[in-house]
Amino acid sequence: MKFEELSIRGAYLIELQPIQDERGFFARSYCNKEFKENGLNPQIVQCNVSYNFHKGTIRGMHYQADPYEETKLVRCIRGAIYDVIIDLRADSESYLQWAAVELTGDLRKMLYIPAGVAHGFQTLQDDTEVFYQMGNYYEPSAARGVRWDDPAFNIKWPLRCTNISEKDAAYGAFELQ
């Protein structure tokens, strides 16, 4: 795997290194040792799938509060997404900055999201499926979010929002901690 650090401290775009032959290819998509060597949390305790019917759907921006903060390894396995992260760690040099990458089922890249960073995405195609590997268990009492269109972050979404949950749409404006 190839690890490329993003502008958000501790966030990485991870590219598979396929070995190809006449049958297709084989590639490692996770290796505990390689994650540790790159300073990433290798713990995976839960896996989730998000299936999205329509292009323009937004999910996010989600995170879990301390002590239930979670790392995420996100991969689009069908379709395409514009994947966005916001650094909410007050002690980080990239605090309140956001970064985005495009993930597609065809390119097979993954986004590693460190604990304390909010995450969300917008589907760029109909019938898009996203696979998450989580570093901590979901704890409903710790679930938090910030508005996808909060002017504090001014995220540049590529499409008009066509679908968002009531919960995600109801998050209030971000307030400094």
Side-chain angles (χ1 to χ4, degrees), residues 13 50 75-76 78 100 121 126 146 171:
L13 186 62
S50 165
R75 180 173 170 208
C76 182
R78 181 161 120 191
F121 64 84
D126 290 344
V146 297
Y171 285 127

Side-chain angles (χ1 to χ4, degrees), residues 29-133:
S29 65
Y30 174 79
C31 176
N32 184 290
K33 180 181 174 184
E34 287 185 60
F35 272 58
K36 284 181 182 177
E37 288 172 353
N38 283 279
L40 282 64
N41 178 357
Q43 179 172 301
I44 294 173
V45 299
Q46 183 175 308
C47 296
N48 305 316
V49 173
S50 165
Y51 178 79
N52 305 273
F53 295 117
H54 302 292
K55 174 171 105 174
T57 297
I58 290 180
R59 290 185 185 257
M61 304 293 299
H62 305 137
Y63 66 99
Q64 285 198 167
D66 186 48
Y68 301 100
E69 294 173 310
E70 58 194 1
T71 57
K72 295 179 184 177
L73 183 60
V74 178
R75 180 173 170 208
C76 182
I77 56 177
R78 181 161 120 191
I81 62 172
Y82 184 74
D83 209 346
V84 178
I85 55 177
I86 304 170
D87 192 346
L88 298 179
R89 302 167 294 178
D91 64 340
S92 173
E93 60 272 8
S94 51
Y95 180 55
L96 301 183
Q97 295 177 27
W98 65 274
V101 296
E102 187 173 321
L103 301 177
T104 72
D106 293 337
L107 291 178
R108 299 179 181 92
K109 293 181 180 183
M110 300 174 286
L111 178 60
Y112 175 85
I113 305 162
V117 173
H119 170 252
F121 64 84
Q122 182 175 48
T123 57
L124 301 176
Q125 297 176 8
D126 290 344
D127 299 315
T128 292
E129 191 168 349
V130 181
F131 181 67
Y132 304 75
Q133 294 170 273

